[in-house]
Amino acid sequence: MSDDPYDDDVEAQIAGEMAAFEPAVRHGDSAPLGAHTINWRTLPDKDAAAAWTRLRGWVEWFVIRYRVPESTVPACWWKHGQLVEELSALHTAHTAAFDLACCGVFGQRIGGFLYAAIAGWV
Protein backbone atom coordinates (compact mmCIF):
# COMPACT_ATOMS: atom_id res chain seq x y z
CA MET A 1 0.00 0.00 0.00
CA SER A 2 1.29 3.44 -0.92
CA ASP A 3 1.59 6.39 1.46
CA ASP A 4 0.32 8.56 -1.37
CA PRO A 5 -3.24 9.76 -0.65
CA TYR A 6 -4.08 9.12 -4.30
CA ASP A 7 -4.03 5.42 -4.87
CA ASP A 8 -3.60 3.63 -8.17
CA ASP A 9 -7.36 3.08 -8.61
CA VAL A 10 -8.06 6.82 -8.58
CA GLU A 11 -5.16 7.52 -10.93
CA ALA A 12 -6.38 4.81 -13.32
CA GLN A 13 -9.91 6.23 -13.27
CA ILE A 14 -8.67 9.75 -14.02
CA ALA A 15 -6.39 8.46 -16.78
CA GLY A 16 -9.31 6.59 -18.32
CA GLU A 17 -11.52 9.67 -18.24
CA MET A 18 -8.81 11.86 -19.73
CA ALA A 19 -8.07 9.35 -22.49
CA ALA A 20 -11.69 9.65 -23.60
CA PHE A 21 -11.57 13.46 -23.56
CA GLU A 22 -12.01 15.09 -26.95
CA PRO A 23 -11.71 18.90 -26.78
CA ALA A 24 -13.65 19.38 -30.01
CA VAL A 25 -16.69 17.52 -28.65
CA ARG A 26 -18.83 19.57 -26.30
CA HIS A 27 -21.63 17.99 -24.31
CA GLY A 28 -22.20 20.73 -21.75
CA ASP A 29 -25.44 22.50 -21.17
CA SER A 30 -25.60 25.73 -23.14
CA ALA A 31 -28.31 27.24 -20.96
CA PRO A 32 -27.41 30.60 -19.44
CA LEU A 33 -25.60 30.55 -16.14
CA GLY A 34 -27.54 31.31 -13.00
CA ALA A 35 -25.60 34.54 -12.61
CA HIS A 36 -26.95 37.54 -14.45
CA THR A 37 -25.32 40.93 -14.60
CA ILE A 38 -27.44 43.92 -13.69
CA ASN A 39 -27.09 47.26 -15.37
CA TRP A 40 -28.54 49.44 -12.63
CA ARG A 41 -28.66 52.46 -14.91
CA THR A 42 -30.98 50.76 -17.40
CA LEU A 43 -32.80 48.34 -15.08
CA PRO A 44 -36.55 48.53 -15.80
CA ASP A 45 -38.69 49.60 -12.85
CA LYS A 46 -40.63 46.33 -13.02
CA ASP A 47 -37.41 44.35 -12.35
CA ALA A 48 -35.87 46.68 -9.74
CA ALA A 49 -37.57 45.35 -6.60
CA ALA A 50 -36.50 41.75 -7.26
CA ALA A 51 -32.94 42.80 -8.15
CA TRP A 52 -32.61 44.90 -4.98
CA THR A 53 -34.02 42.08 -2.85
CA ARG A 54 -31.54 39.54 -4.27
CA LEU A 55 -28.60 41.92 -3.88
CA ARG A 56 -29.58 42.95 -0.34
CA GLY A 57 -29.90 39.33 0.76
CA TRP A 58 -26.52 38.47 -0.72
CA VAL A 59 -24.77 41.52 0.77
CA GLU A 60 -26.20 40.75 4.22
CA TRP A 61 -24.90 37.19 3.92
CA PHE A 62 -21.55 38.30 2.46
CA VAL A 63 -20.63 40.80 5.18
CA ILE A 64 -21.39 38.25 7.91
CA ARG A 65 -19.83 35.25 6.17
CA TYR A 66 -16.57 37.05 5.37
CA ARG A 67 -16.55 39.28 8.46
CA VAL A 68 -16.43 42.44 6.39
CA PRO A 69 -16.17 45.41 8.75
CA GLU A 70 -18.72 48.19 8.56
CA SER A 71 -15.91 50.56 7.66
CA THR A 72 -15.54 48.57 4.43
CA VAL A 73 -19.22 47.97 3.61
CA PRO A 74 -21.30 50.42 5.64
CA ALA A 75 -24.89 49.70 6.63
CA CYS A 76 -25.94 52.38 4.13
CA TRP A 77 -24.07 50.73 1.22
CA TRP A 78 -27.18 50.96 -0.95
CA LYS A 79 -26.91 54.77 -0.89
CA HIS A 80 -23.48 54.66 -2.56
CA GLY A 81 -23.63 53.98 -6.28
CA GLN A 82 -20.03 52.81 -6.47
CA LEU A 83 -20.61 50.20 -3.76
CA VAL A 84 -23.86 49.09 -5.37
CA GLU A 85 -22.05 48.50 -8.66
CA GLU A 86 -19.13 46.66 -7.07
CA LEU A 87 -21.23 44.56 -4.72
CA SER A 88 -23.52 43.69 -7.61
CA ALA A 89 -20.53 42.57 -9.70
CA LEU A 90 -19.20 40.53 -6.78
CA HIS A 91 -22.61 38.94 -6.32
CA THR A 92 -22.60 37.94 -9.99
CA ALA A 93 -19.03 36.58 -9.75
CA HIS A 94 -19.89 34.63 -6.61
CA THR A 95 -22.99 33.13 -8.19
CA ALA A 96 -21.09 32.15 -11.33
CA ALA A 97 -18.25 30.64 -9.30
CA PHE A 98 -20.62 28.19 -7.65
CA ASP A 99 -22.80 27.51 -10.70
CA LEU A 100 -22.63 23.82 -11.55
CA ALA A 101 -23.21 24.62 -15.23
CA CYS A 102 -19.93 26.51 -15.21
CA CYS A 103 -16.46 25.50 -14.13
CA GLY A 104 -16.72 26.99 -10.65
CA VAL A 105 -12.97 26.61 -10.23
CA PHE A 106 -12.67 29.55 -7.84
CA GLY A 107 -15.44 28.40 -5.54
CA GLN A 108 -13.09 27.50 -2.72
CA ARG A 109 -11.22 30.82 -2.86
CA ILE A 110 -13.97 33.25 -3.75
CA GLY A 111 -14.12 34.76 -0.27
CA GLY A 112 -10.59 36.09 -0.44
CA PHE A 113 -11.11 37.49 -3.92
CA LEU A 114 -14.38 39.15 -2.96
CA TYR A 115 -13.06 40.68 0.22
CA ALA A 116 -9.90 41.98 -1.48
CA ALA A 117 -11.97 43.56 -4.23
CA ILE A 118 -14.35 45.31 -1.83
CA ALA A 119 -11.54 46.42 0.51
CA GLY A 120 -9.74 48.02 -2.42
CA TRP A 121 -12.74 50.19 -3.29
CA VAL A 122 -13.49 51.68 0.11
Side-chain angles (χ1 to χ4, degrees):
M1 180 172 204
S2 170
D3 291 337
D4 188 358
Y6 302 103
D7 63 13
D8 293 335
D9 291 338
V10 172
E11 289 182 17
Q13 180 181 358
I14 293 171
E17 290 174 6
M18 293 305 295
F21 177 69
E22 294 181 41
V25 178
R26 308 230 182 230
H27 299 289
D29 184 4
S30 59
L33 296 177
H36 301 283
T37 58
I38 297 174
N39 183 339
W40 293 97
R41 187 172 55 88
T42 61
L43 183 67
D45 290 343
K46 67 180 181 61
D47 299 331
W52 278 109
T53 299
R54 281 191 306 274
L55 182 60
R56 177 184 173 204
W58 183 83
V59 170
E60 289 174 355
W61 168 83
F62 170 72
V63 297
I64 292 168
R65 176 72 171 134
Y66 294 105
R67 299 182 189 148
V68 179
E70 193 168 349
S71 61
T72 302
V73 178
C76 60
W77 61 268
W78 51 272
K79 292 182 178 182
H80 304 277
Q82 181 178 349
L83 279 174
V84 170
E85 296 292 339
E86 293 304 313
L87 288 166
S88 183
L90 290 172
H91 178 222
T92 300
H94 182 266
T95 303
F98 289 95
D99 192 317
L100 296 178
C102 186
C103 298
V105 295
F106 295 112
Q108 297 299 318
R109 296 183 175 198
I110 196 72
F113 295 136
L114 294 174
Y115 184 77
I118 281 291
W121 278 97
V122 179

